[in-house]
């Protein structure tokens, strides 16, 4: 019973002291009765009433530092983690320790997925590069075989065959020029002798 009375006396003393300061400090009275914002939206509304643009900017920065969550239209709050580019539902204007733990675990899983995706993308790119290189080698081999096929193979020069009439001692084929030419040549010589007689020799002087 005595402890309860002591607590009540302490409470009354506190109220009296506060009233004393409220009466003596009008400016402090206004600040004491002013309720602190409960979330980012209330804080931002208060920041909009700042006298200057610089004060407004500074007040909004304080709001961002104090409150991580944002009001949802249907009630409750959401927290946007820009590292994961993902939004999480939270109960209050700031994540609780349990909610923050879940957000951190989700971020760890996100990093693991990103690492696996990057490794898979690198493996796919490497496989495509190897396939392209193999196709390029195959095309080059086909081109080389085509070029080799286009180059003519050297052929041994054929030996000039002698005609039957040109071979010494070989019989002439009847009607061939090589065999008829000697006879024609003799006939022409005989005709020349007929039309151009040989001049007579001059008589010897006695």
């Amino acid at each position: 019973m005595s402890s309860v009375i002591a607590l009540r006396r302490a409470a009354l003393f506190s109220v009296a002291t506060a009233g004393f300061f409220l009466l003596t400090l009008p400016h402090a009275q206004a600040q004491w009765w002013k309720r602190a914002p409960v979330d980012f939206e209330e804080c931002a509304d208060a920041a909009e009433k700042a006298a200057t643009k610089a004060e407004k900017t500074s007040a909004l920065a304080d709001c961002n530092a104090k409150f991580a969550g944002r009001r949802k239209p249907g009630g409750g709050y959401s927290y946007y983690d820009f590292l994961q580019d993902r939004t999480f539902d939270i109960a209050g204007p700031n994540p609780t320790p349990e909610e923050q733990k879940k957000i951190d675990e989700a971020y760890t899983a996100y990093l693991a997925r990103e690492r696996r995706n990057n490794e898979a993308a690198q493996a796919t790119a490497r496989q495509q590069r190897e396939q392209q290189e193999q196709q390029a080698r195959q095309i080059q081999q086909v081109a080389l075989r085509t070029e080799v096929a286009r180059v003519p193979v050297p052929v041994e020069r054929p030996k000039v065959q002698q005609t039957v009439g040109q071979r010494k001692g070989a019989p002439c084929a009847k009607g061939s020029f090589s065999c008829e030419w000697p006879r024609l040549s003799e006939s022409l010589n005989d005709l020349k002798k007929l039309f151009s007689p040989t001049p007579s020799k001059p008589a010897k002087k006695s």
Side-chain angles (χ1 to χ4, degrees):
M1 187 69 178
S2 58
S3 60
V4 174
I5 295 173
L7 289 174
R8 290 183 62 184
R9 288 179 179 177
L12 291 174
F13 177 77
S14 299
V15 172
T17 304
F20 174 77
F21 282 106
L22 289 175
L23 293 174
T24 55
L25 299 174
H27 182 68
Q29 178 186 9
Q31 294 295 326
W32 191 85
W33 286 106
K34 185 177 181 181
R35 185 173 63 88
V38 297
D39 55 18
F40 174 81
E41 284 70 23
E42 282 191 5
C43 186
D45 290 341
E48 289 290 338
K49 301 174 183 179
T52 64
K53 185 177 181 180
E55 291 177 354
K56 177 180 176 181
T57 302
S58 178
L60 286 174
D62 291 338
C63 294
N64 278 315
K66 291 178 181 178
F67 303 105
R70 300 293 183 269
R71 285 183 192 171
K72 294 173 60 178
Y77 294 87
S78 64
Y79 170 77
Y80 174 72
D81 187 358
F82 69 94
L83 294 175
Q84 306 179 57
D85 191 19
R86 177 183 172 185
T87 301
F88 295 86
D89 291 336
I90 56 178
N94 285 306
T96 64
E98 186 64 26
E99 291 171 340
Q100 188 63 52
K101 180 181 179 181
K102 292 181 179 179
I103 293 171
D104 294 340
E105 291 174 350
Y107 181 62
T108 301
Y110 167 80
L111 290 179
R113 287 194 305 271
E114 287 295 308
R115 183 173 60 256
R116 289 194 298 269
N117 293 337
N118 291 335
E119 292 174 353
Q122 291 176 2
T124 301
R126 184 168 56 255
Q127 183 178 4
Q128 291 177 352
R129 184 170 59 253
E130 291 175 355
Q131 291 177 352
Q132 292 175 355
E133 292 175 354
Q134 184 178 2
Q135 291 176 356
R137 287 194 298 268
Q138 292 176 352
I139 293 173
Q140 186 177 9
Q141 292 175 358
V142 171
L144 289 175
R145 287 197 296 268
T146 304
E147 291 296 328
V148 171
R150 289 178 180 175
V151 176
V153 178
V155 180
E156 184 180 358
R157 184 176 181 181
K159 296 179 180 179
V160 178
Q161 297 180 355
Q162 294 180 346
T163 59
V164 176
Q166 290 176 342
R167 286 183 293 179
K168 187 176 181 180
C172 291
K174 187 176 181 180
S176 64
F177 180 76
S178 60
C179 289
E180 295 294 335
W181 172 250
R183 289 195 293 271
L184 291 174
S185 179
E186 291 177 0
S187 300
L188 290 174
N189 289 333
D190 293 339
L191 290 174
K192 286 181 180 180
K193 290 178 181 180
L194 290 175
F195 289 100
S196 57
T198 56
S200 59
K201 295 181 180 180
K204 292 182 179 180
K205 294 181 180 183
S206 57

